[in-house]
Amino acid sequence: QVQLAESGGGSVQAGGSLRLSCVVSRNIFSINGMGWYRQAPGKQREFVAGITRDGSTNYADAVKGRFTISRDNAKNTVALQMNSLKPEDTGVYYCYADLSYGRAPRGQGTQVTVSS
């Protein structure tokens, strides 16, 4: 069973930065789609950023130009660098991994809180 472990969240003021990390319990070289989504209280889950095996990335319009996703196959990690954070970025951030048989089970997530 593939496991995802997110970390790096915290509380920051608007304009601050955080770097999230997701460690995967197996080699990620062959995993194509990986990325992050978030969920704020009372809101629907929202896609944030994705990255393919060849390094192609895509971002939600709300985070373009502020967030950067990357992957390190040697360390089995996917990272999300978040700059110029806004209060509306507040939520629990989860990483995802699309395996050959479906999406890996969700991890515990990491809380991001941005105050104005």
Side-chain angles (χ1 to χ4, degrees):
Q1 182 84 322
V2 175
Q3 294 180 325
L4 308 176
E6 302 94 340
S7 63
S11 297
V12 297
Q13 290 191 327
S17 298
L18 286 172
R19 184 176 178 84
L20 305 184
S21 179
C22 173
V23 178
V24 185
S25 63
R26 54 152 277 190
N27 186 283
I28 67 169
F29 178 79
S30 62
I31 299 177
N32 191 26
M34 301 190 71
W36 294 87
Y37 62 94
R38 65 190 180 191
Q39 186 150 25
K43 295 186 178 180
Q44 288 190 330
R45 189 174 67 183
E46 176 186 26
F47 168 80
V48 176
I51 187 167
T52 63
R53 192 171 68 174
D54 66 0
S56 297
T57 60
N58 64 309
Y59 297 92
D61 288 343
V63 307
K64 279 181 182 176
R66 300 188 297 121
F67 291 11
T68 303
I69 189 171
S70 61
R71 62 190 284 169
D72 186 334
N73 291 340
K75 296 182 179 180
N76 299 331
T77 60
V78 178
L80 186 68
Q81 177 66 43
M82 306 187 297
N83 299 328
S84 302
L85 282 162
K86 303 176 181 180
E88 50 264 44
D89 294 319
T90 294
V92 180
Y93 284 68
Y94 301 91
C95 69
Y96 69 84
D98 289 331
L99 309 176
S100 60
Y101 53 84
R103 184 158 287 189
R106 193 178 72 178
Q108 81 285 355
T110 187
Q111 175 71 46
V112 172
T113 303
V114 185
S115 57
S116 57

